[in-house]
């Protein structure tokens, strides 16, 4: 099955973006994901496509929504520090209430406009998401468009959608299946939007509790692939009325967790317990990486320990200054980012590489299962393809990143593409 849009200016021009959370490019194959493999082969694909840093879902959502890296949009991690009255508190960005906390402390949510804001006056955005509330709501944190999520669904202006209008699905594969069914019934045939986003929780959700390459992972890939096929078939069935750009991709991949470390405990054991206790130092785990924040004199104290930290077996690389800024991540109180070490070990299913998980603020480590967040080879390579006659086929011909998705979609829709870190893939 290959999608062939018809060139016809009289049809409603729109875009549909499907994100398969946590589906690394190396898992796209005829065997595991035949639909995705055919899409990449038959349409324009990003052959050298990269995640943002940290390679976590909430940051990815904000970067996809804005076309900017986290240093510009301001959402620094799945957990991030906010400084109030000189004191650091590390917050879980996934909580539904985090946007309100961010507004209270910083005066706003994201620092740059989302696609939802840019499209608000020309047809709008609608998003169906089955990942964490934070990752869903940061697609459109200030409610310019519509977002449906199991923790709460909202129309423009934040009007609650209740009853049948709410997305009451389970946070698992069955929830992805039901969400896709509703997306195909309620969104694809309708002309009430310019951009629709379908963000599936899998295979990411499965991988956080199962090994890479395990039967559960392979099953999640197969189900996810069929859901993408279902959306494409529905789009094809309505192409007499719509001129649809389909973008299909993922946000990051996964790597295997082999060991774990608590960086706060390490800093406390190296003399910085008082600074950690009174909020002058904060550690925000991003899974296989961590952000180390400090204020005042504690900053120099942390910097003084970095040479010793670099010799620890869990410290793959520690980024500071220009090297950190080059990843696209900057923040006033951010001192360093730790990308954890990778070991040359292979799991029971033949998948190479194990990583250290940073425990700070995370749940109990699930050793042997998947995770992400750092700069490892598998977690930083999502996939991406644009499907429309104007885009042709073949590789994009340049390195691309999540920040290139918004400008590509907006240019297709005839909207201004300005003040973004990303650039449109040429059609
Ligand atoms: Zn994700």
């Amino acid at each position: 099955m290959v999608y062939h849009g018809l060139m016809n200016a009289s049809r409603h021009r729109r875009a549909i973006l499907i994100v398969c959370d946590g589906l690394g490019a190396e898992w796209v194959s005829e065997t595991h994901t035949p639909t995705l493999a055919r899409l990449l082969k038959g349409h324009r694909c990003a052959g050298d496509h990269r995640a943002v840093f940290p390679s976590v879902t909430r940051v990815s959502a904000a970067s996809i929504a804005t076309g900017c890296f986290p240093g510009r949009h301001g959402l620094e991690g799945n957990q991030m520090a906010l400084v109030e009255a000189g004191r650091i508190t590390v917050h879980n960005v996934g909580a539904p209430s985090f946007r309100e906390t961010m507004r209270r402390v910083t005066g706003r949510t994201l620092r740059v406009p989302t696609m939802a804001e840019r499209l608000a006056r020309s047809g709008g955005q609608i998003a169906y998401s089955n990942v964490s509330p934070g990752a869903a709501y940061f697609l459109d944190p200030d409610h310019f468009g519509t977002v449906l999520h199991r923790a709460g669904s909202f129309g423009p202006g934040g009007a609650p959608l209740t009853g049948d209008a709410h997305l009451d699905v389970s946070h698992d594969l069955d929830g992805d299946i039901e969400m896709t069914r509703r997306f195909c019934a309620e969104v694809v045939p309708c002309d009430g939007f310019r951009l629709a986003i379908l963000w599936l929780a899998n295979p990411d959700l499965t991988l956080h509790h199962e090994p890479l390459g395990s039967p559960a992972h392979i099953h999640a890939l197969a189900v996810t692939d069929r859901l993408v096929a279902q959306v494409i078939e529905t789009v094809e069935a309505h192409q007499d009325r719509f001129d649809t750009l389909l973008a299909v991709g993922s946000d990051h991949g996964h790597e295997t967790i082999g060991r774990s470390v608590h960086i706060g405990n390490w800093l406390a054991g190296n003399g910085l317990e008082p600074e950690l206790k009174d909020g002058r130092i904060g550690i925000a785990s991003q899974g296989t990486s961590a952000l180390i924040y400090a204020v005042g004199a504690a900053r120099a104290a942390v910097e003084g320990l970095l040479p010793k930290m670099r010799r620890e077996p869990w410290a793959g690389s520690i980024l500071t200054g220009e090297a950190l800024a080059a990843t696209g991540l900057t923040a006033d109180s951010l001192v360093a980012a730790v990308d954890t070490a990778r070991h040359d070990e292979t799991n029971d299913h033949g998948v190479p590489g194990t990583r250290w998980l940073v425990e700070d603020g995370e749940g109990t480590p699930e050793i042997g299962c998947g995770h992400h967040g750092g700069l490892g080879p598998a977690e930083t390579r999502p996939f991406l393809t644009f499907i429309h006659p104007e885009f042709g086929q073949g590789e994009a011909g340049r390195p691309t990143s999540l920040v290139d998705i918004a400008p590509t979609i907006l240019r297709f829709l005839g909207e201004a593409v300005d003040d973004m870190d990303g650039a449109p893939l040429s059609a």
Side-chain angles (χ1 to χ4, degrees):
M1 167 228 32
V2 176
Y3 170 68
H4 296 289
L6 300 170
M7 305 285 273
N8 183 340
S10 68
R11 294 175 301 146
H12 176 64
R13 198 168 170 92
R14 65 181 193 177
I16 292 177
L17 168 64
I18 306 172
V19 179
C20 309
D21 205 296
L23 206 166
E26 78 274 28
W27 293 98
V28 176
S29 70
E30 282 293 341
T31 312
H32 300 312
T33 59
T35 303
L36 298 180
R38 280 199 288 277
L39 291 178
L40 289 177
K41 207 170 168 185
H43 300 278
R44 179 69 63 200
C45 74
D48 185 9
H49 189 51
R50 299 304 166 103
V52 294
F53 179 74
S55 52
V56 292
T57 305
R58 296 154 205 166
V59 176
S60 301
S63 291
I64 287 173
T66 61
C68 291
F69 290 109
R72 289 274 303 284
H73 62 61
L75 195 76
E76 295 151 21
N78 267 359
Q79 300 184 73
M80 65 176 277
L82 293 174
V83 181
E84 284 184 89
R87 188 185 163 91
I88 292 171
T89 305
V90 174
H91 296 269
N92 178 359
V93 173
S97 59
F98 179 71
R99 286 169 304 154
E100 204 41 61
T101 306
M102 199 177 190
R103 274 190 206 104
R104 179 175 56 75
V105 176
T106 71
R108 59 190 163 189
T109 59
L110 299 179
R111 295 196 289 253
V112 290
T114 59
M115 286 191 282
E117 179 174 354
R118 290 169 181 266
L119 294 170
R121 274 186 228 89
S122 61
Q125 173 182 299
I126 183 165
Y128 282 43
S129 173
N130 198 27
V131 293
S132 73
Y137 298 143
F138 271 99
L139 291 171
D140 180 15
D142 300 308
H143 293 302
F144 286 94
T146 298
V147 58
L148 269 66
H149 186 272
R150 60 184 187 278
S153 302
F154 303 94
L161 301 177
T162 56
D164 290 344
H166 172 54
L167 186 64
D168 184 18
V169 299
S170 50
H171 187 212
D172 54 17
L173 264 177
D174 285 344
D176 282 354
I177 292 168
E178 173 60 10
M179 177 175 73
T180 303
R181 187 195 67 76
R182 284 194 47 181
F183 186 84
C184 288
E186 299 166 1
V187 177
V188 177
C190 301
D191 56 9
F193 65 91
R194 298 294 300 298
L195 169 62
I197 300 172
L198 178 71
W199 197 305
L200 303 166
N202 280 285
D204 176 85
L205 183 57
T206 296
L207 277 177
H208 279 287
H209 310 291
E210 302 282 351
L212 281 142
S214 65
H217 177 207
I218 302 305
H219 176 66
L221 288 171
V223 172
T224 301
D225 189 71
R226 284 203 296 274
L227 296 178
V228 173
Q230 187 182 341
V231 176
I232 293 174
E233 283 158 15
T234 312
V235 169
E236 285 181 322
H238 295 278
Q239 64 177 330
D240 56 323
R241 292 166 51 218
F242 301 109
D243 180 21
T244 308
L245 169 65
L246 263 165
V248 185
S250 58
D251 50 349
H252 53 76
H254 269 256
E255 309 211 344
T256 299
I257 296 305
R259 301 159 183 81
S260 65
V261 58
H262 194 290
I263 293 179
N265 288 351
W266 186 89
L267 288 170
N270 282 278
L272 297 183
E273 188 165 8
E275 287 84 349
L276 284 154
K277 278 196 165 150
D278 67 11
R280 283 175 285 153
I281 296 174
I283 311 297
S285 172
Q286 311 300 327
T288 52
S289 71
L291 308 182
I292 304 179
Y293 296 89
V295 291
R299 193 177 178 98
V302 169
E303 286 168 344
L305 277 176
L306 294 182
K308 184 176 182 185
M309 188 184 286
R310 285 194 165 91
R311 294 193 294 274
E312 292 292 338
W314 43 266
S317 62
I318 298 177
L319 305 176
T320 59
E322 286 180 11
L324 179 55
T327 68
L329 177 64
T330 51
D332 286 344
S333 57
L334 183 61
V335 180
V338 180
D339 180 44
T340 66
R342 189 171 197 271
H343 296 283
D344 193 14
E345 301 162 335
T346 299
N347 81 359
D348 292 343
H349 306 284
V351 179
T354 58
R355 300 289 298 282
W356 293 73
L357 180 80
V358 179
E359 297 171 12
D360 306 56
E362 291 268 321
T364 308
E366 297 199 39
I367 303 298
C369 298
H371 218 305
H372 52 93
L375 294 165
E379 61 193 343
T380 53
R381 284 177 177 77
F383 76 96
L384 176 65
T385 179
F386 289 99
I387 303 153
H388 188 276
E390 289 173 19
F391 282 78
Q393 60 184 145
E395 293 199 359
R398 67 165 172 94
T400 57
S401 141
L402 299 188
V403 300
D404 296 316
I405 296 172
T408 303
I409 289 173
L410 290 170
R411 174 162 290 181
F412 174 81
L413 295 175
E415 299 287 329
V417 175
D418 54 327
D419 291 329
M420 292 184 178
D421 292 331
L425 266 76
S426 48

